[in-house]
Amino acid sequence: MKATASSPANIAFIKYWGRKDDKLLLPLSTTNSMNLSNCIATTTVEFSENYSEDTITIVGSNDSTKELKKSDGDKTEMLFNTLERIRTLKKFKLKAKVVSKLNFPFQAGVASSAAGISALVAAGFEAAGLSEKVKDKKELSREVRISGSVSAARSVEDGFTEVVYGETHNDVYVQQIADEKHWDLVDIVAVLNPEAKKMTTTFGHEVAFTSPFMKARVEYLNGIPEQARQAILEKDFDTLATLSEIDSINMHAVMMTSNPAIFYLSAGSMEFIKKVQEWREEGIKVFFTFDAGPNPHLITTSEFAHIIKKKAEEISYTQFTIYNEPCKGTQIIQDHLF
Ligand code: PMV
């Protein structure tokens, strides 16, 4: 009972922040993103009587290895809970060995959870013989979502994707906007020098409505994901740039005005915001967006990608950059890691 899946992280243009329902993880609006070709997790799951407990090991591209423990944090706990859920669904008791290999450095502050969670759910369900759930992308995305992450559910489809707004578990699922060959967008992630440990997104979603601006964000979002979707379909860079930057700033304003306040942006992030504005004035097509961390995602086109990479690496806050193109979503593959 062994299977392997690969799955990318993604960068959201219209972000998911705050929930309609904390148990079912229902987002407050449609949220869309692009998969990232150089932020991929490949995960093998085996259920066997040879194992006396569940183990999850993560291996980074720099060969750093980490043995996860349930107590490491809520996202990690969710991974262990997913293994338990699979056992309950299939009514067996076998424990699992999980190994996940990343094609980017581990613990560098790069959000690996979307890649890790979606790959583990796909490999786990496939290994347990629930392949009908893995083949059906909508269903797989629902399973990924309730395993702990709406953003991870966006990684299930290929290329440019969205998780649609809905009122019930069944109504919230991934759908493709366009495949990975549709548009030559590039996301250069500038990994900045690490800062103090951040607040988890799970906690952030739960306190989002303590911000007086959250209600305004939800009202603002009415019709916005559809405009972003249209901009992607029409390859309208300027519209996507405007919508995405507004969305990212708007989300961080909510985070900073929650109780307790959550600050993900750092001095380095601010430096990048200023620089992106300058680069645009030089005629370069580029915009910034930030997830729950200080690292700027610099979205550009293949024409400008190498200039942006070079410029990003020249900024003193940058440790290194990761060059990403749109790519396929979650896939079952035949090469097992063990
Ligand atoms: O899915 P989560 O709980 O990891 O939340 C992701 C939240 C953001 O990365 C900040 C936004 C997004 O839509 O990716």
Side-chain angles (χ1 to χ4, degrees), residues 12 15-17 31 75 149-151 154 201 205 251 291-292:
K15 317 271 187 194
Y16 146 61
W17 195 248
T31 161
K75 282 267 160 50
S149 171
V150 172
S151 63
R154 292 188 307 243
T201 53
H205 293 299
M251 178 184 74
D291 278 345

Side-chain angles (χ1 to χ4, degrees), residues 6-25:
S6 77
S7 196
N10 62 67
I11 182 65
F13 300 122
I14 304 301
K15 317 271 187 194
Y16 146 61
W17 195 248
R19 301 169 179 147
K20 200 177 158 59
D21 184 304
D22 281 336
K23 267 219 161 63
L24 289 175
L25 280 82

Side-chain angles (χ1 to χ4, degrees), residues 103-122:
N103 74 343
F104 55 101
F106 182 46
Q107 290 172 320
V110 181
S112 52
S113 68
I117 293 174
S118 46
L120 184 142
V121 172

